[in-house]
Amino acid sequence: MTTVYEQRTTPPVPLAPRRSPAGPLLALLWAGAAAVVALWWADTGTVVGAAGWLTGAGRIAGLLCGYACAVLVGLMARVPLLESRIGSDRVARWHAMAGRYTVCLLVAHIVLILAGYAAQDHASLVHETLTVVLDYPDMLKATAGTVILFSVGITSARAVRRRTSYEFWYYVHLLTYAAVFLAFFHQLTLGNDFNGKPVPTAAWYALYLGVAALVVWFRLLVPMRLNLRHRLRVESVRQEAPGVYSVVVRGRRLTELGARPGQFFRWRFLGEGMGWTSTPYSLSAPPRPDRLRITVKALGDHSAAVPLLRPGTRVWAEGPYGSLTADRATRHRSLLIAAGVGITPLRALFETLPGDVTLLYRARTAQDLALGGELEAIARWRGAKVLYALNGPQGQRPDISAEALRATFPRLAGHDVYICGPHAFAQELYTQLRAAGVPDRRIHHESFEL
């Protein structure tokens, strides 16, 4: 079947690998935490008695929790430097870790402060709690923010997340902004480290306003400009394999997006009830000046509705995001390993990645091989290889152990390896690649599991 995405007529251009800013950014974040502790230290005199120790520890936890809230929101802002240079999946892991730290610090702050106040006032913990919540300024708002933040934390737990829809999780997660806003004011009205101290207060405002500016700019204004300028609409929908569909999106001046093979956008299709959720789908072909293409497998409510899209449906996109690109390459030999719909970003890379490229495609059956005709055509065009790992006649899974990989690819340790597929598959494959001698820095993977 002929595709609108014909193969390129010029060879891929090698790109020099760029260093990730992950290390300097982490150092900056930890330096900020150290500065917060230093703020407490500079403002604290001699600590006396159990009440003093409890209250002091509660203040430290509260300050760090406030700082962690700002970091948490900043990591949600979809800053291109983070999304494209560090990687969306890595930023998402940092965000999840920051969320766990925030909740733990919040619990410590509440328990320690209330216990310290109760010891200081010689009152029961229940009486002190009611006094603080009902009588202290801005505490009702802070309490509401706390309840929201705990709710977000509970729905983000893996056991709960597996039992809820993506849409429910997504909208509950957005309440993080409300939680941070409600809790902000009591930090300044009740925080001894800020009362009457203009420099720390100004720094705290600058931190929160700076993070808010990132969110407004990159999550609201930049996507609005993108969609008003490029006017994306569905051009066609085509089935590629059972339950797998490609969507071609047409727009204007799409080269200005700067999208690269291997990246993804977050998509809203303003029809068929799909406009309520933004879902990440990778480009399954190199971007063209007037067209983008994604390939989607029906795994949830949003993706299952993709076949119902009609030509002309308006599209709202955000991006491009992701770092699974040629920028990661360090060698002239690359091995791409895809499983299931993980073929989508690797199909685009297979066409464009410089050097000697081999693609290994894992699927249950030959009927599940989406985009197989395109892959074969690309392999012939650029002199590359496509290998398939399919289940046996009785359903036996193919051997992708370290020994099998070394036997199939004798110089495997000298390859860059790109992986895309289900999370469990990618984890197991990573373990086998490391056992086969592939250095960690040459294994490139990006997961969209939320």
Side-chain angles (χ1 to χ4, degrees):
M1 182 180 293
T2 303
T3 174
V4 295
Y5 278 86
E6 62 279 352
Q7 275 66 57
R8 294 160 59 109
T9 57
T10 56
V13 178
L15 296 173
R18 294 187 294 177
R19 296 189 62 179
S20 168
L25 179 61
L26 283 176
L28 180 63
L29 293 179
W30 284 111
V36 169
V37 175
L39 174 64
W40 172 86
W41 181 270
D43 190 59
T44 302
T46 303
V47 179
V48 179
W53 282 103
L54 288 169
T55 304
R59 285 173 54 204
I60 294 176
L63 285 168
L64 288 174
C65 181
Y67 173 73
C69 282
V71 172
L72 190 70
V73 173
L75 292 174
M76 293 172 66
R78 297 177 186 167
V79 180
L81 175 66
L82 306 185
E83 299 282 338
S84 299
R85 295 289 304 280
I86 295 176
S88 298
D89 63 333
R90 196 172 186 182
V91 173
R93 289 196 297 272
W94 289 358
H95 172 72
M97 184 180 298
R100 289 190 288 270
Y101 286 158
T102 301
V103 172
C104 290
L105 288 167
L106 180 58
V107 171
H109 171 62
I110 293 170
V111 171
L112 291 169
I113 281 290
L114 291 176
Y117 286 178
Q120 180 179 299
D121 296 340
H122 304 290
S124 70
L125 194 59
V126 173
H127 178 271
E128 196 65 36
T129 300
L130 292 174
T131 300
V132 168
V133 171
L134 298 177
D135 296 341
Y136 283 37
D138 293 314
M139 276 306 303
L140 284 175
K141 288 185 290 186
T143 301
T146 298
V147 172
I148 294 173
L149 201 57
F150 279 142
S151 300
V152 173
I154 291 170
T155 56
S156 298
R158 188 175 295 272
V160 178
R161 176 69 188 90
R162 289 172 179 165
R163 292 170 171 79
T164 58
S165 68
Y166 172 78
E167 290 77 12
F168 175 80
W169 173 88
Y170 176 80
Y171 285 108
V172 170
H173 218 65
L174 287 180
L175 293 175
T176 302
Y177 296 124
V180 173
F181 174 77
L182 290 169
F184 173 74
F185 298 100
H186 93 286
Q187 299 175 40
L188 299 178
T189 55
L190 298 177
N192 293 334
D193 305 282
F194 300 109
N195 285 333
K197 300 176 179 64
V199 173
T201 300
W204 210 248
Y205 267 111
L207 173 65
Y208 273 77
L209 290 175
V211 167
L214 290 178
V215 172
V216 171
W217 183 258
F218 290 113
R219 295 204 65 163
L220 294 178
L221 299 182
V222 169
M224 188 177 299
R225 178 184 181 276
L226 182 158
N227 289 280
L228 290 176
R229 183 171 181 80
H230 299 291
R231 299 184 180 276
L232 303 173
R233 290 184 181 271
V234 172
E235 180 179 89
S236 63
V237 180
R238 188 183 69 188
Q239 186 172 16
E240 303 286 0
V244 180
Y245 292 82
S246 285
V247 181
V248 176
V249 176
R250 180 176 288 274
R252 305 184 305 178
R253 300 188 293 270
L254 299 185
T255 53
E256 297 176 6
L257 294 173
R260 290 172 289 161
Q263 292 190 303
F264 68 95
F265 286 75
R266 297 179 186 273
W267 304 88
R268 294 178 191 268
F269 298 100
L270 306 183
E272 307 301 334
M274 300 174 67
W276 294 101
T277 307
S278 171
T279 305
Y281 297 126
S282 296
L283 298 176
S284 62
R288 304 297 192 238
D290 61 343
R291 284 171 294 186
L292 303 172
R293 190 185 74 177
I294 59 175
T295 301
V296 179
K297 184 173 183 179
L299 297 173
D301 294 341
H302 191 276
S303 54
V306 165
L308 304 177
L309 291 172
R310 296 290 178 263
T313 299
R314 293 186 60 191
V315 180
W316 185 274
E318 300 174 42
Y321 301 124
S323 63
L324 194 70
T325 65
D327 287 349
R328 289 193 179 186
T330 62
R331 292 292 185 271
H332 292 292
R333 292 190 299 274
S334 299
L335 172 62
L336 315 181
I337 306 179
V341 78
I343 190 61
T344 53
L346 298 193
R347 181 265 180 243
L349 280 173
F350 188 50
E351 182 176 333
T352 58
L353 197 63
D356 181 7
V357 182
T358 301
L359 172 66
L360 176 61
Y361 190 175
R362 167 76 177 100
R364 290 190 181 89
T365 67
Q367 290 72 32
D368 295 320
L369 294 171
L371 308 174
E374 295 181 21
L375 298 173
E376 296 287 353
I378 293 169
R380 289 192 298 271
W381 164 73
R382 63 174 301 175
K385 297 178 183 178
V386 180
L387 304 175
Y388 301 105
L390 305 177
N391 289 358
Q394 306 301 320
Q396 310 97 312
R397 297 171 63 85
D399 183 10
I400 313 183
S401 63
E403 294 75 15
L405 289 170
R406 276 197 300 261
T408 307
F409 310 103
R411 295 186 292 175
L412 179 60
H415 285 68
D416 279 297
V417 182
Y418 289 77
I419 306 171
C420 194
H423 186 65
F425 168 84
Q427 281 190 319
E428 175 59 25
L429 188 56
Y430 173 84
T431 301
Q432 298 302 325
L433 288 168
R434 294 292 289 120
V438 182
D440 177 77
R441 67 182 180 277
R442 294 189 202 145
I443 302 175
H444 314 301
H445 170 246
E446 197 158 59
S447 170
F448 305 122
E449 185 177 75
L450 298 171

